[in-house]
Amino acid sequence: MKFIIKLFPEITIKSRPVRKRLVARLQNNIQIILGRIHPEVKVSAFWDKIEVVYEGGLSSMPATLRDDLVDALKRIPGIQTFLEVEQHPLEDFHQAYERTRDAYAERLKGKTFKVRVRRSGKHEFTSVEMERYVGGGLRQHTEAAGVDVHKPEVWVDLEVRDDRLFIVTDIHPGLGGYPLGTQEPVLSLISGGFDSIVASWMTMRRGCKTHFLFFNLGGHAHEIGVKQVSLYLWKRYGSSARVKFITVPFEEVVGEILQSVDRSHMGVVLKRMMMRAADKVADRMNLPALVTGESIAQVSSQTLPNLNLIDNVAEHLVIRPLVTMDKPDIIEYSRQIGCFEFASAMPEFCGVISDKPTTAARKERVEREESGFDFEVLERALESAEVISIDEIVENQNINSEIQALTRVDANQSIIDIRAPHEEERKPLNLPGCTILKIPFYDLETKIKTLDGEREYLLYCEKGVMSQMHAQSLVEKGFENIGVYRPASAK
């Protein structure tokens, strides 16, 4: 099994040293991610492409390996497209035609085509000779509309390398962008809503190692939700780099704003306090830029005058990837990257909602409102900030000591599979004799109330991370019949 990776076009126009650096980083990122799927996957870099080859024998190849590799490659920043290639021993033209017919017959129905052969090594034939033979066979023995050498609807790509024949069987779209880690790292202010999620993904796609900063306004369930979606983003699009998740407790800051700031200016002042705090966190982590999900005029604090005042307190560059995007487009992006359910089910908490918020705050008025604010409260919040590696979320939640993960299911227990439907479909949980309910995490809090209160329910997810977090949240809300199921093989 082989894949040929085509680079994002912007990489190909860079100077030779820059291009070599970008390709080397992309190769390393791919090797890290695919190596976790199977240790016998080898990644090799060339000037104009990267090749991925499974070096194990076909008899030992896991049944899901091909799908797992395709899924992973689609989510790695820096890949424009990648070709899926079949490898065969090269015998003669007729064998090459037969292999090509088997691979392309369905795609050629009703379409024009052209055969394209690339060779390396010494052979007693030319590329044009092989193209004519294979093309003639496909024209006669498939339902293709014919050959078009100028603008074919389907390119039939073959590669001959010494005594081996490679047939391109599929072309997959990549994520585009730059390889993760080739641009400067950033700190993304993430609330778990559509905007901050998509903004974070966009900087990851653009090659920035993206750390996550969450301001906790007082909701434990909100914090769990934000950690969940941040972990998802990292695992799906950025797991070739280690990043931090920072939580800053902002309850006291909100309380101080409620006491000392006029209601019309609370939203702007809160954002300025967040920006001041983000500045300090970025300083500590030596990060050059902040990322937010704001879009012009979406809410009152995001008018141009208010955004200007918010930025005035920041010493770092503030990046707003969504600044001119419409909300429906942002939501559509969240669907494409698999985060719509996270954002739509995100618990919300805001203690500074104003009846008549200003849309054109003035600097003098804002500074006057802030003059009564006790900035020691902000300093205490920063001193209490929690900084963890994003893949250590469960251990730092102190969950394991409170909710024991069970490896066996008793008669009075049912399992609730909380994975998203596409995850559950790919790897169904098979436990004969056990009752398994399929309730995605985003429906859990609603549907748990309708279940039999006399039974115990064990939450399940593949890694045990989200099941632990959601179990703790439900227990804290009074559901005493909640536990966690984790197979012994997963420990």
Side-chain angles (χ1 to χ4, degrees):
M1 186 187 335
K2 178 179 178 180
F3 300 94
I4 299 175
I5 293 167
K6 301 298 183 180
L7 309 175
F8 182 53
E10 289 182 28
I11 296 175
T12 64
I13 63 173
K14 302 297 182 185
S15 66
R16 188 176 185 86
V18 173
R19 179 168 173 170
K20 288 179 66 177
R21 176 175 61 84
L22 295 176
V23 172
R25 175 55 69 94
L26 180 56
Q27 176 194 10
N28 184 65
N29 291 350
I30 295 171
Q31 186 67 71
I32 289 172
I33 293 171
L34 300 191
R36 293 179 187 141
I37 297 175
H38 200 288
E40 292 190 61
V41 174
K42 182 182 178 182
V43 182
S44 303
F46 302 89
W47 174 247
D48 60 344
K49 64 183 178 181
I50 291 176
E51 293 187 355
V52 174
V53 178
Y54 170 67
E55 297 189 321
L58 292 177
S59 60
S60 63
M61 187 175 76
T64 63
L65 181 59
R66 179 263 177 196
D67 291 342
D68 291 341
L69 295 178
V70 169
D71 181 57
L73 288 169
K74 286 182 177 180
R75 297 182 278 103
I76 298 176
I79 297 175
Q80 180 68 7
T81 59
F82 58 99
L83 314 179
E84 190 170 353
V85 178
E86 285 183 0
Q87 178 178 326
H88 304 281
L90 178 64
E91 298 174 6
D92 53 35
F93 281 5
H94 192 71
Q95 174 255 6
Y97 148 69
E98 289 181 328
R99 296 290 190 182
T100 306
R101 180 199 60 201
D102 293 344
Y104 275 88
E106 282 299 315
R107 273 182 287 169
L108 291 179
K109 286 183 178 179
K111 296 181 179 179
T112 59
F113 72 94
K114 182 182 187 310
V115 178
R116 181 166 49 186
V117 175
R118 294 182 175 87
R119 288 185 309 112
S120 62
K122 294 183 178 180
H123 303 95
E124 296 180 354
F125 58 87
T126 66
S127 298
V128 173
E129 288 172 342
M130 177 175 271
E131 288 171 354
R132 287 173 177 168
Y133 188 96
V134 174
L138 294 178
R139 183 170 56 83
Q140 294 180 48
H141 302 292
T142 69
E143 298 178 40
V147 174
D148 186 338
V149 297
H150 300 294
K151 293 183 179 180
E153 294 176 272
V154 178
W155 285 98
V156 177
D157 286 314
L158 308 179
E159 181 179 340
V160 175
R161 187 176 298 177
D162 298 322
D163 60 350
R164 290 170 296 165
L165 170 68
F166 299 92
I167 302 174
V168 178
T169 59
D170 209 343
I171 301 177
H172 302 278
L175 191 62
Y178 285 102
L180 194 67
T182 57
Q183 310 306 313
E184 286 70 23
V186 296
L187 181 64
S188 180
L189 282 62
I190 188 164
S191 67
F194 294 105
D195 303 335
S196 62
I197 290 173
V198 175
S200 299
W201 170 76
M202 284 186 166
T203 54
M204 295 167 74
R205 178 184 176 275
R206 202 62 185 168
C208 299
K209 185 164 75 169
T210 301
H211 301 271
F212 301 95
L213 175 61
F214 170 62
F215 292 102
N216 191 337
L217 304 181
H220 181 63
H222 189 184
E223 180 176 350
I224 288 176
V226 175
K227 284 184 173 179
Q228 175 174 275
V229 73
S230 300
L231 183 63
Y232 174 88
L233 275 176
W234 173 76
K235 287 172 66 177
R236 294 283 291 176
Y237 303 103
S239 64
S240 60
R242 296 291 295 276
V243 302
K244 302 294 185 183
F245 186 97
I246 304 97
T247 301
V248 179
F250 241 51
E251 300 97 321
E252 265 197 280
V253 174
V254 171
E256 182 65 19
I257 290 174
L258 288 170
Q259 294 182 46
S260 59
V261 177
D262 185 84
R263 294 191 66 83
S264 63
H265 283 66
M266 285 182 177
V268 173
V269 171
L270 176 62
K271 290 293 184 68
R272 280 164 62 93
M273 295 300 170
M274 289 179 172
M275 202 62 73
R276 288 184 173 105
D279 240 14
K280 294 291 181 70
V281 173
D283 273 337
R284 294 173 185 174
M285 299 177 66
N286 195 29
L287 302 176
L290 308 175
V291 179
T292 77
E294 291 153 323
S295 177
I296 292 174
Q298 191 178 110
V299 296
S300 60
S301 64
Q302 295 177 18
T303 61
L304 289 178
N306 288 353
L307 288 176
N308 182 47
L309 283 172
I310 292 167
D311 282 4
N312 280 346
V313 300
E315 296 181 1
H316 290 75
L317 171 67
V318 180
I319 301 171
R320 294 188 171 92
L322 315 182
V323 71
T324 61
M325 288 183 63
D326 297 331
K327 191 71 173 187
D329 295 331
I330 297 170
I331 292 174
E332 179 56 31
Y333 266 116
S334 78
R335 293 183 192 275
Q336 293 175 17
I337 64 177
C339 292
F340 174 81
E341 288 84 2
F342 288 94
S344 58
M346 191 66 62
E348 294 185 2
F349 181 94
C350 185
V352 294
I353 297 175
S354 176
D355 297 331
K356 296 181 180 180
T358 180
T359 57
R362 291 178 289 109
K363 183 177 180 180
E364 298 79 10
R365 172 66 186 275
V366 171
E367 290 177 344
R368 187 164 70 248
E369 293 294 337
E370 290 181 344
S371 64
F373 183 89
D374 182 1
F375 279 86
E376 289 187 7
V377 173
L378 185 62
E379 291 301 320
R380 284 198 297 271
L382 285 165
E383 290 170 4
S384 302
E386 176 192 55
V387 182
I388 61 174
S389 293
I390 197 165
D391 55 341
E392 297 173 354
I393 284 176
V394 173
E395 289 78 3
N396 285 273
Q397 284 285 304
N398 296 318
I399 294 175
N400 293 331
S401 61
E402 298 180 25
I403 302 177
Q404 184 67 38
L406 303 179
T407 59
R408 297 179 59 184
V409 183
D410 293 335
N412 193 44
Q413 295 173 328
S414 298
I415 292 177
I416 299 179
D417 190 335
I418 68 168
R419 293 175 295 171
H422 71 275
E423 293 179 298
E424 187 277 324
E425 289 171 6
R426 286 191 64 193
K427 295 184 178 180
L429 181 62
N430 184 20
L431 291 173
C434 292
T435 301
I436 301 176
L437 307 177
K438 300 174 184 178
I439 305 178
F441 64 89
Y442 46 83
D443 287 334
L444 190 58
E445 288 201 27
T446 300
K447 293 189 177 179
I448 198 73
K449 301 171 185 177
T450 67
L451 301 181
D452 182 0
E454 299 300 316
R455 291 188 66 82
E456 184 177 0
Y457 297 95
L458 306 180
L459 308 189
Y460 168 79
C461 67
E462 186 175 355
K463 300 295 184 182
V465 176
M466 298 311 160
S467 53
Q468 289 276 12
M469 295 173 70
H470 282 285
Q472 177 168 315
S473 178
L474 290 172
V475 168
E476 290 177 354
K477 292 178 180 178
F479 295 93
E480 297 181 357
N481 59 335
I482 297 298
V484 171
Y485 171 71
R486 193 172 186 199
S489 59
K491 288 184 175 294

